Amino acid sequence: MAANYISPISMDALSSLCSELDKNNSIKKTDYEKYHVKRGLRNSDGTGVMAGLTRICSVEGYYILDGERIPKEGKLSYRGYDINDIVSACIKDDRFGFEEVAWLLLFGELPTEQQLISLREVIAECRALPDEFVEDMIMKNPSKDIMNKMARCVMMLYSFDENPDDISIPNVLRQSLQLIAQMPTIMNSAYQVKRRAFYNKTMFLHPIRKEQATAEYILNQLRPDRKFTHDEARLLDICLMLHADHGGGNNSTFSTRVLTSSGTDTYSAITAGIGSLKGPRHGGANLRVSAQMREIMEVLPDSTDPSQVKDYLVKILNKEAGDKSGLIYGMGHAVYTKSDPRAVILKENARKLAYEKGFEKEFKTLENIEFLTPQVFNEVKGVDKVMCANVDLYSGLVYKVLGIPEDLYTPLFATARITGWCAHRLEELSSGGKIMRPAYKSVSHTKKFVDISQRKEK
């Protein structure tokens, strides 16, 4: 068991300090309205503030007509290519597509057969971590959270780079390709060490098989017997393709671009993306969905019964059930309204394998949540809001069907999304040109300095 660090700061001291902190850190909501602050970089109608331009990815879920936001079916495009067409072509030809998507996002066009072969060869050669890295950087300091360990490992790779601070395009492209290749290795190594340190289970570190696609490589590394079916690997490959990018405005990609605009190194910028994605309001939402579904199935006699699920969703919205937040996880999105194409694709491709592996009840439970939530939201909140399932509603079940532990739900997201982060970093370096520096208005009052001998507690 890993040793715990005990903070020398007592809870009583923290309580006192927090009281002091609370006195001067609360800002009235009316002040935000008074100064027309766009909280969360959102306009009053919920749309995002225009902060930049990109040629990498387009996320569409509505259109504006006469100043009104009109819902439409969701569309996700990589470099102008509809994600539905990309995934459908890979399924039709029975080939793995994540590497193809990586080329597309990085270079802007679909690869030729020879370009794709070359990329796969580069990725295969770069999967291994530096000598003694796993032993020194991961085994000696196991982490309870894989995302935090992945962030630390990315930062530590800075020390193994002979030219880490060079932000020229050739050097950053080299770093990007290496990190894209190494992320699955980092993820699995961190998880295996956690198994040993915190679960008292056997740790498996398998040799790298260079001929495998990324989806195959991940399953090969995770499974003790290294066995998996082609259908399992293909479903995971679809997940990786769908998670590879989601425009420049999502929180983790925006974080990466913000740090990139400062001129910092690749390892720092990518670590920022990982830290952002970990958050439960972003990539960590799939864990909330899993916890929510688990509770619904435990509490209800039959979670495939729509009437029972509907009654429970009402309790969740009324903060009487769930985590008492009033949120139904996996439903709704900042951009998508009528549909999230990622959720649609995952649902279509997961059903067969889910039923075959005995997860029919879980699948039907999620379908009930997807179908009933807009209706319940209208009845409880009195708002006729167009709402759809987002990718998180089904991604957790897909991982469960594939036998992937919950510890890795968000890390898998990061393993795919690093492709988009690197593409956006390269675009920011190529055409950004200015450090991002939005304005914050001070609402504090001018005060006269008081000598320390005259100060009194308030």
Side-chain angles (χ1 to χ4, degrees):
M1 187 72 177
N4 290 319
Y5 170 75
I6 300 176
S7 172
I9 306 174
S10 70
M11 291 306 298
D12 288 341
L14 274 177
S15 178
S16 176
L17 290 171
C18 286
S19 296
E20 290 297 314
L21 186 148
D22 289 342
K23 293 176 184 177
N24 299 298
N25 281 281
S26 177
I27 297 176
K28 300 176 183 177
K29 289 185 178 180
T30 53
D31 283 344
Y32 287 101
E33 298 170 1
K34 176 181 177 181
Y35 297 109
H36 308 289
V37 176
K38 297 183 177 181
R39 301 184 71 188
L41 294 181
R42 303 283 183 89
N43 296 310
S44 58
D45 61 358
T47 60
V49 172
M50 191 69 67
L53 302 173
T54 181
R55 299 180 63 181
I56 297 170
C57 181
S58 173
V59 181
E60 304 171 37
Y62 58 85
Y63 64 94
I64 304 296
L65 180 63
D66 296 330
E68 184 180 357
R69 180 174 166 174
I70 309 298
K72 72 172 187 177
E73 297 296 338
K75 183 178 180 180
L76 172 62
S77 302
Y78 292 163
R79 297 287 190 172
Y81 295 96
D82 193 312
I83 190 62
N84 285 284
D85 295 337
I86 297 171
V87 173
S88 295
C90 291
I91 293 173
K92 174 177 171 291
D93 296 339
D94 194 24
R95 70 176 189 272
F96 296 108
F98 176 67
E99 290 80 7
E100 189 170 340
V101 163
W103 179 284
L104 175 61
L105 292 173
L106 289 170
F107 301 107
E109 272 298 344
L110 293 169
T112 64
E113 288 188 13
Q114 187 54 52
Q115 286 172 333
L116 189 55
I117 290 171
S118 297
L119 178 63
R120 285 175 172 162
E121 289 176 350
V122 169
I123 289 177
E125 291 298 325
C126 292
R127 289 217 188 277
L129 295 168
D131 292 343
E132 312 304 326
F133 188 93
V134 174
E135 291 86 343
D136 292 341
M137 305 302 167
I138 302 179
M139 287 186 181
K140 289 183 179 179
N141 294 286
S143 173
K144 295 178 181 178
D145 189 276
I146 306 303
M147 287 292 283
N148 276 35
K149 176 55 72 173
M150 290 170 75
R152 183 182 179 209
C153 286
V154 169
M155 281 299 293
M156 287 305 301
L157 285 170
Y158 175 100
S159 301
F160 293 82
D161 191 329
E162 293 181 355
N163 199 15
D165 290 305
D166 177 3
I167 60 172
S168 66
I169 296 302
N171 194 55
V172 173
L173 178 58
R174 171 189 65 81
Q175 293 169 331
S176 297
L177 291 170
Q178 287 179 308
L179 286 172
I180 290 169
Q182 290 170 331
M183 281 290 272
T185 309
I186 294 171
M187 175 187 71
N188 178 67
S189 299
Y191 172 66
Q192 296 297 338
V193 172
K194 179 180 179 178
R195 276 172 54 91
R196 185 187 68 173
F198 297 102
Y199 300 153
N200 198 28
K201 293 184 178 180
T202 304
M203 178 176 69
F204 299 96
L205 294 174
H206 299 306
I208 294 171
R209 293 182 59 179
K210 293 183 179 180
E211 75 277 10
Q212 291 180 325
T214 298
E216 295 175 301
Y217 175 64
I218 290 171
L219 292 177
N220 177 84
Q221 293 294 298
L222 285 177
R223 305 255 173 113
D225 60 4
R226 307 176 69 179
K227 294 180 180 179
F228 55 87
T229 67
H230 180 70
D231 285 344
E232 287 177 321
R234 187 169 64 177
L235 182 58
L236 179 56
D237 181 65
I238 291 172
C239 288
L240 297 176
M241 285 192 281
L242 295 176
H243 279 130
D245 195 38
H246 210 236
N250 72 79
N251 196 274
S252 58
T253 302
F254 187 63
S255 298
T256 302
R257 294 194 76 135
V258 169
L259 267 73
T260 297
S261 75
S262 76
T264 194
D265 65 277
T266 296
Y267 303 98
S268 296
I270 297 303
T271 299
I274 296 173
S276 166
L277 194 72
K278 179 191 173 187
R281 294 182 180 180
H282 193 8
N286 49 29
L287 291 172
R288 299 293 180 95
V289 172
S290 296
Q292 172 184 269
M293 184 179 73
R294 191 160 50 245
E295 178 180 312
I296 289 174
M297 292 184 65
E298 289 174 355
V299 171
L300 300 182
D302 181 10
S303 61
T304 65
D305 178 5
S307 63
Q308 293 183 36
V309 174
K310 181 180 179 181
D311 290 342
Y312 204 75
L313 292 177
V314 170
K315 292 180 179 179
I316 291 177
L317 278 183
N318 285 327
K319 301 182 179 181
E320 298 170 355
D323 61 5
K324 306 300 196 306
S325 67
L327 299 175
I328 298 176
Y329 296 106
M331 293 298 301
H333 191 268
V335 179
Y336 297 126
T337 52
K338 288 188 174 183
S339 62
D340 179 340
R342 303 168 302 170
V344 173
I345 292 171
L346 267 190
K347 181 179 178 181
E348 289 175 353
N349 287 279
R351 185 188 299 273
K352 180 175 179 291
L353 198 58
Y355 278 42
E356 287 178 356
K357 288 181 170 288
F359 292 94
E360 181 177 351
K361 183 176 181 180
E362 286 88 343
F363 198 93
K364 289 182 176 179
T365 300
L366 291 180
E367 285 188 308
N368 278 332
I369 294 172
E370 178 183 9
F371 178 75
L372 294 168
T373 295
Q375 178 184 341
V376 171
F377 195 91
N378 185 20
E379 293 176 3
V380 174
K381 301 291 185 179
V383 179
D384 189 16
K385 182 178 180 180
V386 178
M387 183 187 301
C388 66
N390 60 51
V391 69
D392 294 314
L393 189 67
Y394 287 98
S395 64
L397 178 59
V398 168
Y399 296 150
K400 188 175 182 180
V401 168
L402 293 174
I404 294 170
E406 285 192 1
D407 283 321
L408 295 180
Y409 285 9
T410 311
L412 265 173
F413 196 160
T415 297
R417 183 57 60 85
I418 189 174
T419 312
W421 294 335
C422 290
H424 282 273
R425 172 167 170 76
L426 286 161
E427 186 180 59
E428 185 68 30
L429 289 171
S430 297
S431 57
K434 285 194 174 185
I435 185 171
M436 294 190 193
R437 209 291 188 190
Y440 268 67
K441 179 176 178 58
S442 172
V443 290
S444 62
H445 301 291
T446 302
K447 300 175 184 177
K448 185 177 179 180
F449 185 80
V450 180
D451 188 87
I452 192 168
S453 61
Q454 304 298 317
R455 298 173 198 169
K456 297 180 180 179
E457 288 189 19
K458 297 180 181 180

